[in-house]
PDB file of all heavy atoms in Angstrom:
ATOM      1  N   ASP L   1     -39.858 -68.695 -42.257  1.00  0.00           N
ATOM      2  CA  ASP L   1     -41.029 -68.090 -42.891  1.00  0.00           C
ATOM      3  C   ASP L   1     -40.696 -66.780 -43.599  1.00  0.00           C
ATOM      4  O   ASP L   1     -41.507 -66.276 -44.372  1.00  0.00           O
ATOM      5  CB  ASP L   1     -42.153 -67.870 -41.871  1.00  0.00           C
ATOM      6  CG  ASP L   1     -41.760 -66.929 -40.758  1.00  0.00           C
ATOM      7  OD1 ASP L   1     -40.702 -67.165 -40.128  1.00  0.00           O
ATOM      8  OD2 ASP L   1     -42.508 -65.973 -40.506  1.00  0.00           O
ATOM      9  N   LYS L   2     -39.516 -66.237 -43.376  1.00  0.00           N
ATOM     10  CA  LYS L   2     -39.109 -64.986 -44.028  1.00  0.00           C
ATOM     11  C   LYS L   2     -38.398 -65.230 -45.362  1.00  0.00           C
ATOM     12  O   LYS L   2     -38.058 -64.291 -46.064  1.00  0.00           O
ATOM     13  CB  LYS L   2     -38.158 -64.182 -43.123  1.00  0.00           C
ATOM     14  CG  LYS L   2     -38.659 -63.922 -41.718  1.00  0.00           C
ATOM     15  CD  LYS L   2     -39.953 -63.150 -41.672  1.00  0.00           C
ATOM     16  CE  LYS L   2     -40.344 -62.723 -40.276  1.00  0.00           C
ATOM     17  NZ  LYS L   2     -40.337 -63.737 -39.238  1.00  0.00           N
ATOM     18  N   ILE L   3     -38.172 -66.481 -45.703  1.00  0.00           N
ATOM     19  CA  ILE L   3     -37.465 -66.800 -46.946  1.00  0.00           C
ATOM     20  C   ILE L   3     -38.308 -66.402 -48.144  1.00  0.00           C
ATOM     21  O   ILE L   3     -39.498 -66.732 -48.230  1.00  0.00           O
ATOM     22  CB  ILE L   3     -37.123 -68.300 -47.008  1.00  0.00           C
ATOM     23  CG1 ILE L   3     -36.077 -68.631 -45.941  1.00  0.00           C
ATOM     24  CG2 ILE L   3     -36.628 -68.690 -48.396  1.00  0.00           C
ATOM     25  CD1 ILE L   3     -35.777 -70.102 -45.813  1.00  0.00           C
ATOM     26  N   ASP L   4     -37.696 -65.703 -49.071  1.00  0.00           N
ATOM     27  CA  ASP L   4     -38.336 -65.339 -50.332  1.00  0.00           C
ATOM     28  C   ASP L   4     -38.071 -66.493 -51.307  1.00  0.00           C
ATOM     29  O   ASP L   4     -36.921 -66.700 -51.717  1.00  0.00           O
ATOM     30  CB  ASP L   4     -37.727 -64.037 -50.856  1.00  0.00           C
ATOM     31  CG  ASP L   4     -38.246 -63.622 -52.212  1.00  0.00           C
ATOM     32  OD1 ASP L   4     -38.879 -64.441 -52.914  1.00  0.00           O
ATOM     33  OD2 ASP L   4     -37.979 -62.467 -52.601  1.00  0.00           O
ATOM     34  N   PRO L   5     -39.100 -67.263 -51.680  1.00  0.00           N
ATOM     35  CA  PRO L   5     -38.888 -68.445 -52.531  1.00  0.00           C
ATOM     36  C   PRO L   5     -38.196 -68.126 -53.861  1.00  0.00           C
ATOM     37  O   PRO L   5     -37.356 -68.892 -54.319  1.00  0.00           O
ATOM     38  CB  PRO L   5     -40.300 -68.983 -52.764  1.00  0.00           C
ATOM     39  CG  PRO L   5     -41.106 -68.456 -51.625  1.00  0.00           C
ATOM     40  CD  PRO L   5     -40.496 -67.115 -51.289  1.00  0.00           C
ATOM     41  N   GLU L   6     -38.524 -67.000 -54.469  1.00  0.00           N
ATOM     42  CA  GLU L   6     -37.896 -66.640 -55.743  1.00  0.00           C
ATOM     43  C   GLU L   6     -36.406 -66.353 -55.547  1.00  0.00           C
ATOM     44  O   GLU L   6     -35.564 -66.791 -56.329  1.00  0.00           O
ATOM     45  CB  GLU L   6     -38.586 -65.426 -56.366  1.00  0.00           C
ATOM     46  CG  GLU L   6     -37.992 -65.050 -57.716  1.00  0.00           C
ATOM     47  CD  GLU L   6     -38.685 -63.879 -58.370  1.00  0.00           C
ATOM     48  OE1 GLU L   6     -39.751 -63.448 -57.896  1.00  0.00           O
ATOM     49  OE2 GLU L   6     -38.140 -63.384 -59.368  1.00  0.00           O
ATOM     50  N   ASN L   7     -36.075 -65.610 -54.489  1.00  0.00           N
ATOM     51  CA  ASN L   7     -34.678 -65.307 -54.213  1.00  0.00           C
ATOM     52  C   ASN L   7     -33.903 -66.579 -53.875  1.00  0.00           C
ATOM     53  O   ASN L   7     -32.767 -66.770 -54.320  1.00  0.00           O
ATOM     54  CB  ASN L   7     -34.585 -64.283 -53.080  1.00  0.00           C
ATOM     55  CG  ASN L   7     -33.250 -63.593 -53.018  1.00  0.00           C
ATOM     56  OD1 ASN L   7     -32.445 -63.655 -53.937  1.00  0.00           O
ATOM     57  ND2 ASN L   7     -32.998 -62.928 -51.912  1.00  0.00           N
ATOM     58  N   LEU L   8     -34.523 -67.477 -53.106  1.00  0.00           N
ATOM     59  CA  LEU L   8     -33.894 -68.750 -52.771  1.00  0.00           C
ATOM     60  C   LEU L   8     -33.633 -69.570 -54.036  1.00  0.00           C
ATOM     61  O   LEU L   8     -32.568 -70.171 -54.191  1.00  0.00           O
ATOM     62  CB  LEU L   8     -34.764 -69.539 -51.793  1.00  0.00           C
ATOM     63  CG  LEU L   8     -34.238 -70.924 -51.409  1.00  0.00           C
ATOM     64  CD1 LEU L   8     -32.885 -70.844 -50.718  1.00  0.00           C
ATOM     65  CD2 LEU L   8     -35.257 -71.629 -50.514  1.00  0.00           C
ATOM     66  N   ALA L   9     -34.596 -69.607 -54.944  1.00  0.00           N
ATOM     67  CA  ALA L   9     -34.440 -70.362 -56.190  1.00  0.00           C
ATOM     68  C   ALA L   9     -33.304 -69.783 -57.033  1.00  0.00           C
ATOM     69  O   ALA L   9     -32.490 -70.527 -57.594  1.00  0.00           O
ATOM     70  CB  ALA L   9     -35.752 -70.358 -56.978  1.00  0.00           C
ATOM     71  N   LYS L  10     -33.226 -68.453 -57.123  1.00  0.00           N
ATOM     72  CA  LYS L  10     -32.144 -67.815 -57.887  1.00  0.00           C
ATOM     73  C   LYS L  10     -30.786 -68.107 -57.251  1.00  0.00           C
ATOM     74  O   LYS L  10     -29.817 -68.414 -57.948  1.00  0.00           O
ATOM     75  CB  LYS L  10     -32.360 -66.310 -57.974  1.00  0.00           C
ATOM     76  CG  LYS L  10     -33.448 -65.895 -58.929  1.00  0.00           C
ATOM     77  CD  LYS L  10     -33.559 -64.389 -58.989  1.00  0.00           C
ATOM     78  CE  LYS L  10     -34.614 -63.932 -59.941  1.00  0.00           C
ATOM     79  NZ  LYS L  10     -34.679 -62.456 -60.045  1.00  0.00           N
ATOM     80  N   ASN L  11     -30.709 -67.986 -55.931  1.00  0.00           N
ATOM     81  CA  ASN L  11     -29.454 -68.282 -55.235  1.00  0.00           C
ATOM     82  C   ASN L  11     -29.045 -69.726 -55.462  1.00  0.00           C
ATOM     83  O   ASN L  11     -27.880 -70.017 -55.733  1.00  0.00           O
ATOM     84  CB  ASN L  11     -29.597 -68.032 -53.732  1.00  0.00           C
ATOM     85  CG  ASN L  11     -29.156 -66.662 -53.328  1.00  0.00           C
ATOM     86  OD1 ASN L  11     -28.031 -66.283 -53.560  1.00  0.00           O
ATOM     87  ND2 ASN L  11     -30.051 -65.924 -52.711  1.00  0.00           N
ATOM     88  N   SER L  12     -29.986 -70.642 -55.332  1.00  0.00           N
ATOM     89  CA  SER L  12     -29.686 -72.066 -55.504  1.00  0.00           C
ATOM     90  C   SER L  12     -29.187 -72.359 -56.914  1.00  0.00           C
ATOM     91  O   SER L  12     -28.210 -73.093 -57.100  1.00  0.00           O
ATOM     92  CB  SER L  12     -30.926 -72.911 -55.212  1.00  0.00           C
ATOM     93  OG  SER L  12     -31.362 -72.700 -53.890  1.00  0.00           O
ATOM     94  N   ALA L  13     -29.846 -71.781 -57.900  1.00  0.00           N
ATOM     95  CA  ALA L  13     -29.419 -71.974 -59.289  1.00  0.00           C
ATOM     96  C   ALA L  13     -28.026 -71.395 -59.516  1.00  0.00           C
ATOM     97  O   ALA L  13     -27.174 -72.026 -60.149  1.00  0.00           O
ATOM     98  CB  ALA L  13     -30.423 -71.322 -60.239  1.00  0.00           C
ATOM     99  N   ALA L  14     -27.790 -70.203 -58.990  1.00  0.00           N
ATOM    100  CA  ALA L  14     -26.493 -69.562 -59.182  1.00  0.00           C
ATOM    101  C   ALA L  14     -25.380 -70.360 -58.509  1.00  0.00           C
ATOM    102  O   ALA L  14     -24.310 -70.570 -59.095  1.00  0.00           O
ATOM    103  CB  ALA L  14     -26.532 -68.135 -58.635  1.00  0.00           C
ATOM    104  N   ILE L  15     -25.613 -70.825 -57.303  1.00  0.00           N
ATOM    105  CA  ILE L  15     -24.593 -71.607 -56.593  1.00  0.00           C
ATOM    106  C   ILE L  15     -24.316 -72.913 -57.336  1.00  0.00           C
ATOM    107  O   ILE L  15     -23.162 -73.323 -57.488  1.00  0.00           O
ATOM    108  CB  ILE L  15     -25.015 -71.849 -55.137  1.00  0.00           C
ATOM    109  CG1 ILE L  15     -24.969 -70.519 -54.370  1.00  0.00           C
ATOM    110  CG2 ILE L  15     -24.131 -72.895 -54.469  1.00  0.00           C
ATOM    111  CD1 ILE L  15     -25.625 -70.560 -53.007  1.00  0.00           C
ATOM    112  N   ALA L  16     -25.362 -73.559 -57.828  1.00  0.00           N
ATOM    113  CA  ALA L  16     -25.180 -74.809 -58.571  1.00  0.00           C
ATOM    114  C   ALA L  16     -24.377 -74.576 -59.847  1.00  0.00           C
ATOM    115  O   ALA L  16     -23.461 -75.346 -60.161  1.00  0.00           O
ATOM    116  CB  ALA L  16     -26.541 -75.426 -58.898  1.00  0.00           C
ATOM    117  N   VAL L  17     -24.684 -73.523 -60.579  1.00  0.00           N
ATOM    118  CA  VAL L  17     -23.972 -73.238 -61.829  1.00  0.00           C
ATOM    119  C   VAL L  17     -22.519 -72.865 -61.546  1.00  0.00           C
ATOM    120  O   VAL L  17     -21.608 -73.325 -62.232  1.00  0.00           O
ATOM    121  CB  VAL L  17     -24.688 -72.135 -62.631  1.00  0.00           C
ATOM    122  CG1 VAL L  17     -23.832 -71.626 -63.781  1.00  0.00           C
ATOM    123  CG2 VAL L  17     -26.014 -72.666 -63.170  1.00  0.00           C
ATOM    124  N   VAL L  18     -22.280 -72.056 -60.525  1.00  0.00           N
ATOM    125  CA  VAL L  18     -20.905 -71.683 -60.183  1.00  0.00           C
ATOM    126  C   VAL L  18     -20.116 -72.914 -59.741  1.00  0.00           C
ATOM    127  O   VAL L  18     -18.973 -73.117 -60.158  1.00  0.00           O
ATOM    128  CB  VAL L  18     -20.874 -70.574 -59.108  1.00  0.00           C
ATOM    129  CG1 VAL L  18     -19.466 -70.367 -58.572  1.00  0.00           C
ATOM    130  CG2 VAL L  18     -21.402 -69.266 -59.694  1.00  0.00           C
ATOM    131  N   ALA L  19     -20.717 -73.765 -58.919  1.00  0.00           N
ATOM    132  CA  ALA L  19     -20.031 -74.989 -58.479  1.00  0.00           C
ATOM    133  C   ALA L  19     -19.710 -75.886 -59.678  1.00  0.00           C
ATOM    134  O   ALA L  19     -18.603 -76.431 -59.783  1.00  0.00           O
ATOM    135  CB  ALA L  19     -20.893 -75.740 -57.470  1.00  0.00           C
ATOM    136  N   TRP L  20     -20.659 -76.028 -60.592  1.00  0.00           N
ATOM    137  CA  TRP L  20     -20.437 -76.816 -61.800  1.00  0.00           C
ATOM    138  C   TRP L  20     -19.304 -76.216 -62.625  1.00  0.00           C
ATOM    139  O   TRP L  20     -18.394 -76.924 -63.070  1.00  0.00           O
ATOM    140  CB  TRP L  20     -21.729 -76.883 -62.617  1.00  0.00           C
ATOM    141  CG  TRP L  20     -21.539 -77.411 -64.008  1.00  0.00           C
ATOM    142  CD1 TRP L  20     -21.395 -78.716 -64.382  1.00  0.00           C
ATOM    143  CD2 TRP L  20     -21.446 -76.633 -65.206  1.00  0.00           C
ATOM    144  NE1 TRP L  20     -21.225 -78.793 -65.742  1.00  0.00           N
ATOM    145  CE2 TRP L  20     -21.248 -77.530 -66.266  1.00  0.00           C
ATOM    146  CE3 TRP L  20     -21.515 -75.264 -65.479  1.00  0.00           C
ATOM    147  CZ2 TRP L  20     -21.120 -77.104 -67.595  1.00  0.00           C
ATOM    148  CZ3 TRP L  20     -21.384 -74.843 -66.781  1.00  0.00           C
ATOM    149  CH2 TRP L  20     -21.195 -75.759 -67.826  1.00  0.00           C
ATOM    150  N   ALA L  21     -19.327 -74.913 -62.818  1.00  0.00           N
ATOM    151  CA  ALA L  21     -18.284 -74.247 -63.606  1.00  0.00           C
ATOM    152  C   ALA L  21     -16.910 -74.447 -62.988  1.00  0.00           C
ATOM    153  O   ALA L  21     -15.947 -74.792 -63.678  1.00  0.00           O
ATOM    154  CB  ALA L  21     -18.605 -72.753 -63.729  1.00  0.00           C
ATOM    155  N   LEU L  22     -16.804 -74.251 -61.676  1.00  0.00           N
ATOM    156  CA  LEU L  22     -15.512 -74.406 -61.015  1.00  0.00           C
ATOM    157  C   LEU L  22     -15.013 -75.848 -61.109  1.00  0.00           C
ATOM    158  O   LEU L  22     -13.811 -76.085 -61.241  1.00  0.00           O
ATOM    159  CB  LEU L  22     -15.608 -73.963 -59.553  1.00  0.00           C
ATOM    160  CG  LEU L  22     -15.848 -72.471 -59.345  1.00  0.00           C
ATOM    161  CD1 LEU L  22     -16.131 -72.179 -57.874  1.00  0.00           C
ATOM    162  CD2 LEU L  22     -14.685 -71.634 -59.861  1.00  0.00           C
ATOM    163  N   ALA L  23     -15.933 -76.810 -61.055  1.00  0.00           N
ATOM    164  CA  ALA L  23     -15.537 -78.216 -61.156  1.00  0.00           C
ATOM    165  C   ALA L  23     -15.107 -78.586 -62.573  1.00  0.00           C
ATOM    166  O   ALA L  23     -14.230 -79.428 -62.758  1.00  0.00           O
ATOM    167  CB  ALA L  23     -16.690 -79.112 -60.713  1.00  0.00           C
ATOM    168  N   GLU L  24     -15.705 -77.955 -63.581  1.00  0.00           N
ATOM    169  CA  GLU L  24     -15.439 -78.308 -64.975  1.00  0.00           C
ATOM    170  C   GLU L  24     -14.334 -77.476 -65.627  1.00  0.00           C
ATOM    171  O   GLU L  24     -13.805 -77.888 -66.660  1.00  0.00           O
ATOM    172  CB  GLU L  24     -16.717 -78.173 -65.796  1.00  0.00           C
ATOM    173  CG  GLU L  24     -17.779 -79.185 -65.413  1.00  0.00           C
ATOM    174  CD  GLU L  24     -17.357 -80.617 -65.718  1.00  0.00           C
ATOM    175  OE1 GLU L  24     -16.731 -80.872 -66.769  1.00  0.00           O
ATOM    176  OE2 GLU L  24     -17.652 -81.494 -64.881  1.00  0.00           O
ATOM    177  N   MET L  25     -13.992 -76.339 -65.059  1.00  0.00           N
ATOM    178  CA  MET L  25     -12.954 -75.485 -65.655  1.00  0.00           C
ATOM    179  C   MET L  25     -11.634 -76.253 -65.710  1.00  0.00           C
ATOM    180  O   MET L  25     -11.281 -76.949 -64.762  1.00  0.00           O
ATOM    181  CB  MET L  25     -12.772 -74.198 -64.836  1.00  0.00           C
ATOM    182  CG  MET L  25     -13.930 -73.245 -64.943  1.00  0.00           C
ATOM    183  SD  MET L  25     -13.821 -71.853 -63.783  1.00  0.00           S
ATOM    184  CE  MET L  25     -12.308 -71.067 -64.311  1.00  0.00           C
ATOM    185  N   PRO L  26     -10.899 -76.128 -66.826  1.00  0.00           N
ATOM    186  CA  PRO L  26      -9.632 -76.862 -66.930  1.00  0.00           C
ATOM    187  C   PRO L  26      -8.561 -76.369 -65.951  1.00  0.00           C
ATOM    188  O   PRO L  26      -7.688 -77.124 -65.560  1.00  0.00           O
ATOM    189  CB  PRO L  26      -9.196 -76.653 -68.378  1.00  0.00           C
ATOM    190  CG  PRO L  26      -9.983 -75.502 -68.869  1.00  0.00           C
ATOM    191  CD  PRO L  26     -11.228 -75.416 -68.038  1.00  0.00           C
ATOM    192  N   GLU L  27      -8.641 -75.135 -65.556  1.00  0.00           N
ATOM    193  CA  GLU L  27      -7.680 -74.547 -64.618  1.00  0.00           C
ATOM    194  C   GLU L  27      -8.436 -73.975 -63.424  1.00  0.00           C
ATOM    195  O   GLU L  27      -9.544 -73.453 -63.576  1.00  0.00           O
ATOM    196  CB  GLU L  27      -6.897 -73.412 -65.291  1.00  0.00           C
ATOM    197  CG  GLU L  27      -6.048 -73.863 -66.462  1.00  0.00           C
ATOM    198  CD  GLU L  27      -4.877 -74.719 -66.035  1.00  0.00           C
ATOM    199  OE1 GLU L  27      -4.323 -74.483 -64.941  1.00  0.00           O
ATOM    200  OE2 GLU L  27      -4.530 -75.647 -66.785  1.00  0.00           O
ATOM    201  N   PRO L  28      -7.855 -74.020 -62.233  1.00  0.00           N
ATOM    202  CA  PRO L  28      -8.514 -73.384 -61.082  1.00  0.00           C
ATOM    203  C   PRO L  28      -8.436 -71.863 -61.196  1.00  0.00           C
ATOM    204  O   PRO L  28      -7.612 -71.326 -61.942  1.00  0.00           O
ATOM    205  CB  PRO L  28      -7.704 -73.880 -59.884  1.00  0.00           C
ATOM    206  CG  PRO L  28      -6.362 -74.196 -60.448  1.00  0.00           C
ATOM    207  CD  PRO L  28      -6.597 -74.656 -61.866  1.00  0.00           C
ATOM    208  N   LEU L  29      -9.295 -71.189 -60.465  1.00  0.00           N
ATOM    209  CA  LEU L  29      -9.220 -69.731 -60.429  1.00  0.00           C
ATOM    210  C   LEU L  29      -7.882 -69.319 -59.820  1.00  0.00           C
ATOM    211  O   LEU L  29      -7.392 -69.971 -58.883  1.00  0.00           O
ATOM    212  CB  LEU L  29     -10.356 -69.155 -59.579  1.00  0.00           C
ATOM    213  CG  LEU L  29     -11.748 -69.235 -60.159  1.00  0.00           C
ATOM    214  CD1 LEU L  29     -12.764 -68.684 -59.156  1.00  0.00           C
ATOM    215  CD2 LEU L  29     -11.850 -68.477 -61.469  1.00  0.00           C
ATOM    216  N   PRO L  30      -7.289 -68.242 -60.332  1.00  0.00           N
ATOM    217  CA  PRO L  30      -6.037 -67.778 -59.736  1.00  0.00           C
ATOM    218  C   PRO L  30      -6.275 -67.243 -58.329  1.00  0.00           C
ATOM    219  O   PRO L  30      -7.336 -66.698 -58.036  1.00  0.00           O
ATOM    220  CB  PRO L  30      -5.577 -66.670 -60.685  1.00  0.00           C
ATOM    221  CG  PRO L  30      -6.796 -66.238 -61.414  1.00  0.00           C
ATOM    222  CD  PRO L  30      -7.724 -67.414 -61.443  1.00  0.00           C
TER     223      PRO L  30
END
């Protein structure tokens, strides 16, 4: 009940985009 829905949505979007980027990047992060 303490979850901030807006913060959760931003975190979820950011994690999804970062995961997508890491999967699609031609080279892994150093």
Side-chain angles (χ1 to χ4, degrees):
D1 62 308
K2 307 300 188 310
I3 292 174
D4 176 346
E6 182 178 350
N7 198 14
L8 178 61
K10 285 182 179 183
N11 266 302
S12 300
I15 291 168
V17 169
V18 170
W20 168 78
L22 293 172
E24 293 295 321
M25 290 171 61
E27 297 291 326
L29 289 177

